[in-house]
Amino acid sequence: MPRKDPDASKSSFFLDKLLDAAVDIKQNPEAAERVYMARHLVQCTLPHSDPGNVNIWRRRNGNVTLSIRPHIGKDDKALYPYGSIPRLLLFWMVTEATRTKSRRITLGDSLPDFMREIGLNPRNGSGERSDVARLKEQMTRLFTAQINVEQAEEAHEMNVYMPVTSKTEFWWAFKTSADRSLWDSWIELGEDFFKMVTASPVPVDMRALRALKRSPLALDLYAWLTYTVFAANKNKANRIVPWKGLHDQMGGEYARTRDFRSKTLEAIKKIKLVYPALVIESTDEYLIVHPAKTAIESKE
DNA sequence: CCGAAAGTTAAGCTTGGAAT
DNA sequence: ATTCCAAGCTTAACTTTCGG
């Protein structure tokens, strides 16, 4: 009873999931699963793919520069966090830090539960390409990295160098399913990193993250748009953002801003499915974000 | 602007072996 | 024999470049 039917079922599993999430979010706005991202990390973002063995990695947004100093592995290779997994981890870390107001964050006692919580699938094998293996790799890369924020104004310059974590303890018992618990695995966020991420958290909907998680660009844009709408509402005015500037802060590595622009507009189409209240205008030079309902109903 | 091509990453499927 | 994993394989998506 073979699963044949190349065309019908093939259409697009991923698109189905996106549409399911879109319907759910539209029909059940009150069921939002509120998670947070830090404002600074919304404005400057992580690499999409492995930058390879380079010394440092930078993103600039106006006079704020975010850089990442990677952990150096045994063979002297730079190990950057990249792709969607460290982004999902950051959403989780910021959310837990905000919720508990504590630098120490526990991972719970079950690895599969933890994975589901951050939007990964614990049951897709354990090979090199599985979520478990990639999660473990990206956890190491993210937790051992140092994130720096450099703020330069006319007569004033402020630099903060923040190790993401100061201490970690993991109990990976991967061998058999009975051992698949994290016991009391925990991480302790670096002091300054903790201050930064809890200073001004931006609330987003976990359901949207799960739907967009295949695209680092879409994840970044969704969080950024949520924040930008919030800022537009606050000023009661449209936010007018030059494509060039947006490209600098989250552009992946597109050589031409116009390529970045067209890919971003495609990603925004998907984001509008999970954030239907968005009102966006686009010109050759600018992306214009209108005041609108925020991605999440404000707390009562 | 549009679409094709090339290179990465994500996700599902298959297989083989160990444990029950 | 059946179940459960680990590992490998294949295909779908995504990112980036480039030329018409």
Side-chain angles (χ1 to χ4, degrees):
Chain A
M1 241 158 41
R3 68 252 146 72
K4 271 272 134 133
D5 198 36
D7 278 352
S9 64
K10 189 175 211 162
S11 64
S12 170
F13 186 67
F14 175 65
L15 190 59
D16 287 349
K17 282 208 294 199
L18 180 62
L19 293 174
D20 285 350
V23 170
D24 183 32
I25 287 169
K26 193 151 194 171
Q27 296 183 343
N28 309 302
E30 76 290 346
E33 295 168 40
R34 173 183 290 258
V35 296
Y36 295 91
M37 180 46 88
R39 183 169 62 85
H40 282 105
L41 298 177
V42 161
Q43 291 175 302
C44 298
T45 61
L46 299 178
H48 291 168
S49 57
D50 193 349
N53 200 20
V54 297
N55 289 332
I56 194 149
W57 193 90
R58 284 202 165 78
R59 277 272 170 271
R60 189 174 16 262
N61 174 23
N63 49 19
V64 180
T65 300
L66 175 137
S67 61
I68 297 172
R69 198 167 282 288
H71 179 66
I72 303 298
K74 291 187 198 68
D75 48 0
D76 288 348
K77 289 279 183 356
L79 300 174
Y80 286 89
Y82 65 89
S84 50
I85 290 177
R87 289 168 164 80
L88 294 170
L89 280 167
L90 280 171
F91 281 110
W92 166 77
M93 287 157 71
V94 176
T95 302
E96 288 300 296
T98 302
R99 187 172 68 80
T100 64
K101 302 197 173 22
S102 161
R103 283 173 59 191
R104 182 162 162 156
I105 300 178
T106 60
L107 280 66
D109 58 8
S110 152
L111 181 58
D113 286 352
F114 174 67
M115 291 179 68
R116 274 186 284 270
E117 186 182 343
I118 66 175
L120 296 176
N121 176 8
R123 307 192 59 75
N124 61 1
S126 58
E128 214 180 336
R129 313 185 104 83
S130 67
D131 280 5
V132 198
R134 288 182 300 118
L135 171 65
K136 200 176 164 191
E137 173 71 19
Q138 292 296 334
M139 279 173 88
T140 313
R141 287 170 175 247
L142 178 62
F143 295 155
T144 54
Q146 174 178 293
I147 292 183
N148 308 316
V149 173
E150 297 153 26
Q151 202 154 5
E153 288 153 29
E154 287 169 40
H156 174 226
E157 197 177 303
M158 189 180 77
N159 303 318
V160 197
Y161 308 99
M162 298 174 286
V164 172
T165 56
S166 54
K167 296 178 197 156
T168 60
E169 179 171 13
F170 301 122
W171 297 87
W172 303 107
F174 273 120
K175 284 300 169 201
T176 73
S177 65
D179 291 337
R180 275 196 160 223
S181 77
L182 295 187
W183 300 89
D184 271 328
S185 294
W186 53 274
I187 61 176
E188 185 177 287
L189 300 184
E191 189 175 350
D192 289 312
F193 184 78
F194 172 78
K195 281 184 193 156
M196 174 185 77
V197 299
T198 51
S200 41
V202 178
V204 298
D205 193 336
M206 188 68 211
R207 294 176 300 176
L209 301 184
R210 278 194 290 265
L212 299 172
K213 73 168 183 200
R214 253 189 128 153
S215 162
L217 178 63
L219 285 174
D220 291 345
L221 282 169
Y222 170 68
W224 177 80
L225 284 166
T226 302
Y227 166 71
T228 303
V229 167
F230 169 80
N233 291 345
K234 202 163 145 193
N235 294 338
K236 297 182 169 40
N238 295 342
R239 301 290 286 192
I240 300 171
V241 184
W243 284 111
K244 178 74 174 65
L246 193 58
H247 185 193
D248 285 346
Q249 64 177 283
M250 58 178 60
E253 308 301 327
Y254 294 100
R256 308 187 303 195
T257 295
R258 65 178 192 273
D259 285 332
F260 167 73
R261 176 179 178 277
S262 78
K263 300 302 174 188
T264 297
L265 288 171
E266 275 176 36
I268 287 178
K269 279 187 202 158
K270 284 183 204 145
I271 293 170
K272 280 186 97 154
L273 292 172
V274 291
Y275 183 1
L278 260 188
V279 184
I280 300 283
E281 252 185 278
S282 157
T283 70
D284 284 350
E285 292 286 316
Y286 301 102
L287 175 69
I288 303 169
V289 182
H290 291 244
K293 283 205 338 202
T294 44
I296 287 226
E297 303 280 334
S298 57
K299 260 199 273 216
E300 70 281 7

